[in-house]
PDB file of all heavy atoms in Angstrom:
ATOM      1  N   MET N  38       0.835  -1.181  -0.009  1.00  0.00           N
ATOM      2  CA  MET N  38      -0.021  -0.016   0.023  1.00  0.00           C
ATOM      3  C   MET N  38       0.849   1.256  -0.039  1.00  0.00           C
ATOM      4  O   MET N  38       0.681   2.152  -0.737  1.00  0.00           O
ATOM      5  CB  MET N  38      -0.879  -0.067   1.266  1.00  0.00           C
ATOM      6  CG  MET N  38      -1.609   1.256   1.612  1.00  0.00           C
ATOM      7  SD  MET N  38      -2.841   1.800   0.362  1.00  0.00           S
ATOM      8  CE  MET N  38      -3.969   0.354   0.507  1.00  0.00           C
ATOM      9  N   ARG N  55      -1.240  -4.417  19.280  1.00  0.00           N
ATOM     10  CA  ARG N  55      -1.426  -5.765  18.569  1.00  0.00           C
ATOM     11  C   ARG N  55      -2.606  -5.696  17.530  1.00  0.00           C
ATOM     12  O   ARG N  55      -2.439  -6.064  16.408  1.00  0.00           O
ATOM     13  CB  ARG N  55      -1.690  -6.843  19.645  1.00  0.00           C
ATOM     14  CG  ARG N  55      -1.854  -8.257  19.003  1.00  0.00           C
ATOM     15  CD  ARG N  55      -2.023  -9.280  20.119  1.00  0.00           C
ATOM     16  NE  ARG N  55      -2.432 -10.549  19.819  1.00  0.00           N
ATOM     17  CZ  ARG N  55      -1.682 -11.607  19.732  1.00  0.00           C
ATOM     18  NH1 ARG N  55      -0.396 -11.541  19.930  1.00  0.00           N
ATOM     19  NH2 ARG N  55      -2.158 -12.875  19.412  1.00  0.00           N
ATOM     20  N   SER N  62      -1.032  -5.022   8.799  1.00  0.00           N
ATOM     21  CA  SER N  62      -0.609  -6.090   7.921  1.00  0.00           C
ATOM     22  C   SER N  62      -1.576  -6.271   6.760  1.00  0.00           C
ATOM     23  O   SER N  62      -1.071  -6.535   5.587  1.00  0.00           O
ATOM     24  CB  SER N  62      -0.525  -7.482   8.632  1.00  0.00           C
ATOM     25  OG  SER N  62       0.513  -7.385   9.613  1.00  0.00           O
ATOM     26  N   LEU N  63      -2.816  -5.955   6.944  1.00  0.00           N
ATOM     27  CA  LEU N  63      -3.747  -6.067   5.796  1.00  0.00           C
ATOM     28  C   LEU N  63      -3.424  -5.095   4.694  1.00  0.00           C
ATOM     29  O   LEU N  63      -3.631  -5.282   3.513  1.00  0.00           O
ATOM     30  CB  LEU N  63      -5.148  -5.726   6.290  1.00  0.00           C
ATOM     31  CG  LEU N  63      -5.815  -6.766   7.192  1.00  0.00           C
ATOM     32  CD1 LEU N  63      -7.319  -6.258   7.478  1.00  0.00           C
ATOM     33  CD2 LEU N  63      -5.849  -8.075   6.528  1.00  0.00           C
ATOM     34  N   GLN N  81       4.618  -9.974  18.470  1.00  0.00           N
ATOM     35  CA  GLN N  81       4.389 -11.364  18.067  1.00  0.00           C
ATOM     36  C   GLN N  81       3.842 -11.522  16.683  1.00  0.00           C
ATOM     37  O   GLN N  81       3.974 -12.561  16.057  1.00  0.00           O
ATOM     38  CB  GLN N  81       3.431 -12.038  19.039  1.00  0.00           C
ATOM     39  CG  GLN N  81       3.923 -12.212  20.404  1.00  0.00           C
ATOM     40  CD  GLN N  81       2.794 -12.616  21.378  1.00  0.00           C
ATOM     41  OE1 GLN N  81       1.727 -13.118  20.980  1.00  0.00           O
ATOM     42  NE2 GLN N  81       3.037 -12.361  22.668  1.00  0.00           N
ATOM     43  N   ALA N  84       6.654  -9.832  12.223  1.00  0.00           N
ATOM     44  CA  ALA N  84       7.937 -10.465  12.210  1.00  0.00           C
ATOM     45  C   ALA N  84       8.980  -9.690  11.399  1.00  0.00           C
ATOM     46  O   ALA N  84       9.135  -9.911  10.260  1.00  0.00           O
ATOM     47  CB  ALA N  84       7.813 -11.871  11.627  1.00  0.00           C
ATOM     48  N   ARG N 337      -5.719   4.781   8.983  1.00  0.00           N
ATOM     49  CA  ARG N 337      -6.020   5.650   7.856  1.00  0.00           C
ATOM     50  C   ARG N 337      -5.830   7.176   8.167  1.00  0.00           C
ATOM     51  O   ARG N 337      -5.278   7.971   7.444  1.00  0.00           O
ATOM     52  CB  ARG N 337      -7.459   5.426   7.423  1.00  0.00           C
ATOM     53  CG  ARG N 337      -7.763   4.088   6.916  1.00  0.00           C
ATOM     54  CD  ARG N 337      -9.305   3.791   6.906  1.00  0.00           C
ATOM     55  NE  ARG N 337      -9.625   2.569   6.388  1.00  0.00           N
ATOM     56  CZ  ARG N 337     -10.378   2.296   5.340  1.00  0.00           C
ATOM     57  NH1 ARG N 337     -10.849   3.315   4.632  1.00  0.00           N
ATOM     58  NH2 ARG N 337     -10.694   1.063   4.926  1.00  0.00           N
ATOM     59  N   LYS N 350     -22.465  -2.844  10.764  1.00  0.00           N
ATOM     60  CA  LYS N 350     -22.899  -3.759   9.719  1.00  0.00           C
ATOM     61  C   LYS N 350     -23.748  -4.836  10.204  1.00  0.00           C
ATOM     62  O   LYS N 350     -24.263  -5.777   9.482  1.00  0.00           O
ATOM     63  CB  LYS N 350     -21.712  -4.309   8.925  1.00  0.00           C
ATOM     64  CG  LYS N 350     -20.757  -5.187   9.654  1.00  0.00           C
ATOM     65  CD  LYS N 350     -19.567  -5.627   8.726  1.00  0.00           C
ATOM     66  CE  LYS N 350     -18.616  -6.598   9.441  1.00  0.00           C
ATOM     67  NZ  LYS N 350     -17.457  -6.876   8.624  1.00  0.00           N
ATOM     68  N   GLN N 370      -8.705 -19.759  29.525  1.00  0.00           N
ATOM     69  CA  GLN N 370      -8.934 -20.704  28.529  1.00  0.00           C
ATOM     70  C   GLN N 370     -10.393 -21.312  28.526  1.00  0.00           C
ATOM     71  O   GLN N 370     -10.903 -21.563  27.540  1.00  0.00           O
ATOM     72  CB  GLN N 370      -7.949 -21.897  28.808  1.00  0.00           C
ATOM     73  CG  GLN N 370      -7.996 -22.913  27.671  1.00  0.00           C
ATOM     74  CD  GLN N 370      -6.821 -23.846  27.717  1.00  0.00           C
ATOM     75  OE1 GLN N 370      -5.785 -23.492  28.274  1.00  0.00           O
ATOM     76  NE2 GLN N 370      -6.913 -24.917  27.042  1.00  0.00           N
ATOM     77  N   LEU N 377     -16.277 -20.256  21.934  1.00  0.00           N
ATOM     78  CA  LEU N 377     -16.184 -20.935  20.571  1.00  0.00           C
ATOM     79  C   LEU N 377     -17.579 -21.580  20.203  1.00  0.00           C
ATOM     80  O   LEU N 377     -17.890 -21.728  19.038  1.00  0.00           O
ATOM     81  CB  LEU N 377     -15.078 -21.976  20.467  1.00  0.00           C
ATOM     82  CG  LEU N 377     -13.633 -21.356  20.629  1.00  0.00           C
ATOM     83  CD1 LEU N 377     -12.696 -22.524  20.514  1.00  0.00           C
ATOM     84  CD2 LEU N 377     -13.307 -20.358  19.534  1.00  0.00           C
ATOM     85  N   LEU N 386      -7.522 -13.301  21.836  1.00  0.00           N
ATOM     86  CA  LEU N 386      -6.580 -13.370  22.957  1.00  0.00           C
ATOM     87  C   LEU N 386      -5.375 -12.586  22.573  1.00  0.00           C
ATOM     88  O   LEU N 386      -4.969 -12.449  21.409  1.00  0.00           O
ATOM     89  CB  LEU N 386      -6.226 -14.855  23.233  1.00  0.00           C
ATOM     90  CG  LEU N 386      -7.369 -15.726  23.751  1.00  0.00           C
ATOM     91  CD1 LEU N 386      -6.976 -17.142  23.864  1.00  0.00           C
ATOM     92  CD2 LEU N 386      -7.879 -15.181  25.094  1.00  0.00           C
ATOM     93  N   LEU N 525     -41.583   3.557  12.397  1.00  0.00           N
ATOM     94  CA  LEU N 525     -41.628   2.096  12.256  1.00  0.00           C
ATOM     95  C   LEU N 525     -42.889   1.681  11.422  1.00  0.00           C
ATOM     96  O   LEU N 525     -43.850   2.357  11.467  1.00  0.00           O
ATOM     97  CB  LEU N 525     -41.596   1.459  13.645  1.00  0.00           C
ATOM     98  CG  LEU N 525     -40.335   1.731  14.521  1.00  0.00           C
ATOM     99  CD1 LEU N 525     -40.578   1.083  15.879  1.00  0.00           C
ATOM    100  CD2 LEU N 525     -39.096   1.208  13.805  1.00  0.00           C
ATOM    101  N   GLY N 552     -49.108   9.813   3.212  1.00  0.00           N
ATOM    102  CA  GLY N 552     -47.951  10.175   4.042  1.00  0.00           C
ATOM    103  C   GLY N 552     -47.758   9.255   5.211  1.00  0.00           C
ATOM    104  O   GLY N 552     -46.608   9.150   5.712  1.00  0.00           O
ATOM    105  N   ASN N 565     -53.062 -12.894  11.834  1.00  0.00           N
ATOM    106  CA  ASN N 565     -52.430 -12.363  10.593  1.00  0.00           C
ATOM    107  C   ASN N 565     -51.544 -11.210  10.836  1.00  0.00           C
ATOM    108  O   ASN N 565     -50.489 -10.967  10.173  1.00  0.00           O
ATOM    109  CB  ASN N 565     -53.399 -12.062   9.611  1.00  0.00           C
ATOM    110  CG  ASN N 565     -53.898 -13.204   8.738  1.00  0.00           C
ATOM    111  OD1 ASN N 565     -53.416 -14.346   8.976  1.00  0.00           O
ATOM    112  ND2 ASN N 565     -54.673 -13.072   7.671  1.00  0.00           N
ATOM    113  N   ARG N 572     -43.147 -11.622   8.784  1.00  0.00           N
ATOM    114  CA  ARG N 572     -42.662 -11.381   7.392  1.00  0.00           C
ATOM    115  C   ARG N 572     -41.900 -10.082   7.296  1.00  0.00           C
ATOM    116  O   ARG N 572     -40.882 -10.008   6.609  1.00  0.00           O
ATOM    117  CB  ARG N 572     -43.859 -11.340   6.398  1.00  0.00           C
ATOM    118  CG  ARG N 572     -44.559 -12.686   6.211  1.00  0.00           C
ATOM    119  CD  ARG N 572     -45.724 -12.566   5.175  1.00  0.00           C
ATOM    120  NE  ARG N 572     -46.419 -13.821   5.019  1.00  0.00           N
ATOM    121  CZ  ARG N 572     -46.751 -14.342   3.815  1.00  0.00           C
ATOM    122  NH1 ARG N 572     -46.485 -13.696   2.667  1.00  0.00           N
ATOM    123  NH2 ARG N 572     -47.410 -15.457   3.759  1.00  0.00           N
TER     124      ARG N 572
ATOM    125  N   MET A  94      -5.011 -20.265  24.518  1.00  0.00           N
ATOM    126  CA  MET A  94      -6.163 -21.183  24.217  1.00  0.00           C
ATOM    127  C   MET A  94      -5.717 -22.579  24.381  1.00  0.00           C
ATOM    128  O   MET A  94      -6.390 -23.384  24.953  1.00  0.00           O
ATOM    129  CB  MET A  94      -6.640 -20.892  22.857  1.00  0.00           C
ATOM    130  CG  MET A  94      -7.601 -21.904  22.205  1.00  0.00           C
ATOM    131  SD  MET A  94      -9.187 -22.010  23.010  1.00  0.00           S
ATOM    132  CE  MET A  94      -9.865 -20.452  22.764  1.00  0.00           C
ATOM    133  N   ARG A 111      -1.364 -17.195   5.375  1.00  0.00           N
ATOM    134  CA  ARG A 111      -1.287 -15.934   6.079  1.00  0.00           C
ATOM    135  C   ARG A 111      -2.639 -15.604   6.752  1.00  0.00           C
ATOM    136  O   ARG A 111      -2.746 -15.214   7.896  1.00  0.00           O
ATOM    137  CB  ARG A 111      -0.995 -14.832   5.109  1.00  0.00           C
ATOM    138  CG  ARG A 111      -0.850 -13.378   5.626  1.00  0.00           C
ATOM    139  CD  ARG A 111      -0.488 -12.443   4.523  1.00  0.00           C
ATOM    140  NE  ARG A 111      -0.640 -11.055   4.776  1.00  0.00           N
ATOM    141  CZ  ARG A 111       0.438 -10.238   5.075  1.00  0.00           C
ATOM    142  NH1 ARG A 111       1.654 -10.721   5.218  1.00  0.00           N
ATOM    143  NH2 ARG A 111       0.152  -8.950   5.236  1.00  0.00           N
ATOM    144  N   SER A 118      -3.510 -16.370  15.649  1.00  0.00           N
ATOM    145  CA  SER A 118      -3.059 -15.459  16.611  1.00  0.00           C
ATOM    146  C   SER A 118      -4.254 -15.017  17.515  1.00  0.00           C
ATOM    147  O   SER A 118      -3.951 -14.799  18.753  1.00  0.00           O
ATOM    148  CB  SER A 118      -2.467 -14.234  15.977  1.00  0.00           C
ATOM    149  OG  SER A 118      -1.219 -14.618  15.236  1.00  0.00           O
ATOM    150  N   LEU A 119      -5.362 -14.913  16.942  1.00  0.00           N
ATOM    151  CA  LEU A 119      -6.538 -14.511  17.842  1.00  0.00           C
ATOM    152  C   LEU A 119      -6.758 -15.577  18.941  1.00  0.00           C
ATOM    153  O   LEU A 119      -7.155 -15.231  20.013  1.00  0.00           O
ATOM    154  CB  LEU A 119      -7.815 -14.450  17.021  1.00  0.00           C
ATOM    155  CG  LEU A 119      -7.931 -13.300  15.982  1.00  0.00           C
ATOM    156  CD1 LEU A 119      -9.343 -13.370  15.311  1.00  0.00           C
ATOM    157  CD2 LEU A 119      -7.711 -11.988  16.715  1.00  0.00           C
ATOM    158  N   ALA A 140       5.792 -14.100  14.394  1.00  0.00           N
ATOM    159  CA  ALA A 140       7.136 -13.839  14.766  1.00  0.00           C
ATOM    160  C   ALA A 140       7.696 -14.813  15.689  1.00  0.00           C
ATOM    161  O   ALA A 140       7.600 -14.651  16.926  1.00  0.00           O
ATOM    162  CB  ALA A 140       7.296 -12.394  15.330  1.00  0.00           C
ATOM    163  N   ARG A 393     -10.574 -24.520  13.893  1.00  0.00           N
ATOM    164  CA  ARG A 393     -11.443 -25.197  14.877  1.00  0.00           C
ATOM    165  C   ARG A 393     -11.577 -26.689  14.547  1.00  0.00           C
ATOM    166  O   ARG A 393     -11.550 -27.525  15.429  1.00  0.00           O
ATOM    167  CB  ARG A 393     -12.832 -24.514  14.880  1.00  0.00           C
ATOM    168  CG  ARG A 393     -12.872 -23.128  15.525  1.00  0.00           C
ATOM    169  CD  ARG A 393     -14.093 -22.447  15.043  1.00  0.00           C
ATOM    170  NE  ARG A 393     -14.265 -21.096  15.531  1.00  0.00           N
ATOM    171  CZ  ARG A 393     -15.136 -20.679  16.376  1.00  0.00           C
ATOM    172  NH1 ARG A 393     -16.057 -21.446  16.901  1.00  0.00           N
ATOM    173  NH2 ARG A 393     -15.198 -19.355  16.735  1.00  0.00           N
ATOM    174  N   GLN A 426      -1.431  -0.827  -5.897  1.00  0.00           N
ATOM    175  CA  GLN A 426      -1.600   0.241  -4.933  1.00  0.00           C
ATOM    176  C   GLN A 426      -2.759   1.147  -5.275  1.00  0.00           C
ATOM    177  O   GLN A 426      -3.497   1.555  -4.405  1.00  0.00           O
ATOM    178  CB  GLN A 426      -0.276   1.001  -4.814  1.00  0.00           C
ATOM    179  CG  GLN A 426      -0.336   2.043  -3.780  1.00  0.00           C
ATOM    180  CD  GLN A 426       1.072   2.551  -3.451  1.00  0.00           C
ATOM    181  OE1 GLN A 426       2.018   1.955  -3.705  1.00  0.00           O
ATOM    182  NE2 GLN A 426       1.093   3.749  -2.723  1.00  0.00           N
ATOM    183  N   LEU A 433     -10.183   2.085  -0.325  1.00  0.00           N
ATOM    184  CA  LEU A 433     -10.231   2.628   0.975  1.00  0.00           C
ATOM    185  C   LEU A 433     -11.380   3.783   1.065  1.00  0.00           C
ATOM    186  O   LEU A 433     -11.936   4.020   2.104  1.00  0.00           O
ATOM    187  CB  LEU A 433      -8.965   3.322   1.398  1.00  0.00           C
ATOM    188  CG  LEU A 433      -7.774   2.459   1.604  1.00  0.00           C
ATOM    189  CD1 LEU A 433      -6.533   3.245   1.974  1.00  0.00           C
ATOM    190  CD2 LEU A 433      -8.049   1.378   2.738  1.00  0.00           C
ATOM    191  N   LEU A 442      -4.046  -7.085   1.613  1.00  0.00           N
ATOM    192  CA  LEU A 442      -2.885  -7.228   0.823  1.00  0.00           C
ATOM    193  C   LEU A 442      -2.058  -8.438   1.438  1.00  0.00           C
ATOM    194  O   LEU A 442      -2.051  -8.594   2.644  1.00  0.00           O
ATOM    195  CB  LEU A 442      -2.040  -6.000   0.767  1.00  0.00           C
ATOM    196  CG  LEU A 442      -2.775  -4.867  -0.022  1.00  0.00           C
ATOM    197  CD1 LEU A 442      -1.981  -3.598  -0.053  1.00  0.00           C
ATOM    198  CD2 LEU A 442      -3.030  -5.245  -1.560  1.00  0.00           C
ATOM    199  N   CYS A 579     -45.669 -16.949  -1.290  1.00  0.00           N
ATOM    200  CA  CYS A 579     -44.370 -16.540  -0.931  1.00  0.00           C
ATOM    201  C   CYS A 579     -44.429 -16.119   0.504  1.00  0.00           C
ATOM    202  O   CYS A 579     -45.422 -15.826   1.112  1.00  0.00           O
ATOM    203  CB  CYS A 579     -43.714 -15.542  -1.854  1.00  0.00           C
ATOM    204  SG  CYS A 579     -44.082 -13.894  -1.508  1.00  0.00           S
ATOM    205  N   LEU A 581     -42.700 -13.490   1.742  1.00  0.00           N
ATOM    206  CA  LEU A 581     -42.312 -12.015   1.912  1.00  0.00           C
ATOM    207  C   LEU A 581     -43.521 -11.193   2.430  1.00  0.00           C
ATOM    208  O   LEU A 581     -44.687 -11.643   2.198  1.00  0.00           O
ATOM    209  CB  LEU A 581     -41.730 -11.457   0.644  1.00  0.00           C
ATOM    210  CG  LEU A 581     -40.588 -12.084   0.143  1.00  0.00           C
ATOM    211  CD1 LEU A 581     -40.141 -11.505  -1.183  1.00  0.00           C
ATOM    212  CD2 LEU A 581     -39.362 -11.906   1.131  1.00  0.00           C
ATOM    213  N   GLY A 608     -53.652 -16.987   8.599  1.00  0.00           N
ATOM    214  CA  GLY A 608     -52.512 -17.753   8.087  1.00  0.00           C
ATOM    215  C   GLY A 608     -51.751 -16.996   6.993  1.00  0.00           C
ATOM    216  O   GLY A 608     -50.590 -17.117   6.835  1.00  0.00           O
ATOM    217  N   ASN A 621     -48.782   5.557   0.123  1.00  0.00           N
ATOM    218  CA  ASN A 621     -48.724   4.897   1.460  1.00  0.00           C
ATOM    219  C   ASN A 621     -48.176   3.532   1.359  1.00  0.00           C
ATOM    220  O   ASN A 621     -47.450   3.079   2.270  1.00  0.00           O
ATOM    221  CB  ASN A 621     -50.059   4.936   2.207  1.00  0.00           C
ATOM    222  CG  ASN A 621     -50.271   6.216   2.937  1.00  0.00           C
ATOM    223  OD1 ASN A 621     -49.509   7.177   2.777  1.00  0.00           O
ATOM    224  ND2 ASN A 621     -51.342   6.302   3.731  1.00  0.00           N
ATOM    225  N   ARG A 628     -40.857   1.650   5.486  1.00  0.00           N
ATOM    226  CA  ARG A 628     -40.818   1.407   6.973  1.00  0.00           C
ATOM    227  C   ARG A 628     -40.392  -0.072   7.158  1.00  0.00           C
ATOM    228  O   ARG A 628     -39.682  -0.424   8.132  1.00  0.00           O
ATOM    229  CB  ARG A 628     -42.150   1.726   7.481  1.00  0.00           C
ATOM    230  CG  ARG A 628     -42.456   3.223   7.671  1.00  0.00           C
ATOM    231  CD  ARG A 628     -43.758   3.417   8.354  1.00  0.00           C
ATOM    232  NE  ARG A 628     -44.109   4.830   8.379  1.00  0.00           N
ATOM    233  CZ  ARG A 628     -44.598   5.456   9.449  1.00  0.00           C
ATOM    234  NH1 ARG A 628     -44.829   4.777  10.574  1.00  0.00           N
ATOM    235  NH2 ARG A 628     -44.878   6.737   9.425  1.00  0.00           N
TER     236      ARG A 628
END
Side-chain angles (χ1 to χ4, degrees):
Chain N
M38 166 65 64
R55 180 176 167 104
S62 293
L63 291 182
Q81 291 169 21
R337 292 162 182 245
K350 64 180 179 186
Q370 184 164 345
L377 294 180
L386 294 176
L525 299 176
N565 275 7
R572 289 183 184 225
Chain A
M94 166 64 65
R111 181 176 167 105
S118 293
L119 291 182
R393 291 162 183 244
Q426 185 165 341
L433 294 179
L442 294 176
C579 87
L581 298 176
N621 275 8
R628 288 183 184 225

